[in-house]
Amino acid sequence: MDWCDQPVEHIAQQFYATLEAAEPWSSAPEPLREELRSLARTALTMMAEWQTEGSTELEPPTAATSSLN
């Protein structure tokens, strides 16, 4: 894994942990892991944009949460 992917992987694993899945991350189905990695990338991008804009309010990530419903 490239060092640039480490934050994405870490956040994806944290998202997975919130699902309270019975199996460990390494045993989770690959499509689920890829979806959570995609959400992690979206979250990181949104945070970077938020920091760049100097916003004082954090708006809920509607695009990221809608795919989990």
Side-chain angles (χ1 to χ4, degrees):
M1 175 186 329
D2 189 282
W3 70 269
C4 293
D5 294 333
Q6 289 177 349
V8 169
E9 193 72 8
H10 177 75
I11 293 168
Q13 289 179 24
Q14 295 306 306
F15 286 162
Y16 183 72
T18 67
L19 300 176
E20 297 180 9
E23 56 192 26
W25 170 255
S26 59
S27 298
E30 189 59 30
L32 175 59
R33 294 190 323 175
E34 280 303 316
E35 178 66 22
L36 293 174
R37 288 178 185 125
S38 175
L39 292 172
R41 286 183 199 95
T42 299
L44 288 169
T45 299
M46 291 176 70
M47 288 303 298
E49 289 173 358
W50 178 71
Q51 289 175 340
T52 300
E53 294 170 3
S55 177
T56 57
E57 294 183 26
L58 182 61
E59 296 180 16
T62 54
T65 57
S66 65
S67 65
L68 289 178
N69 294 333

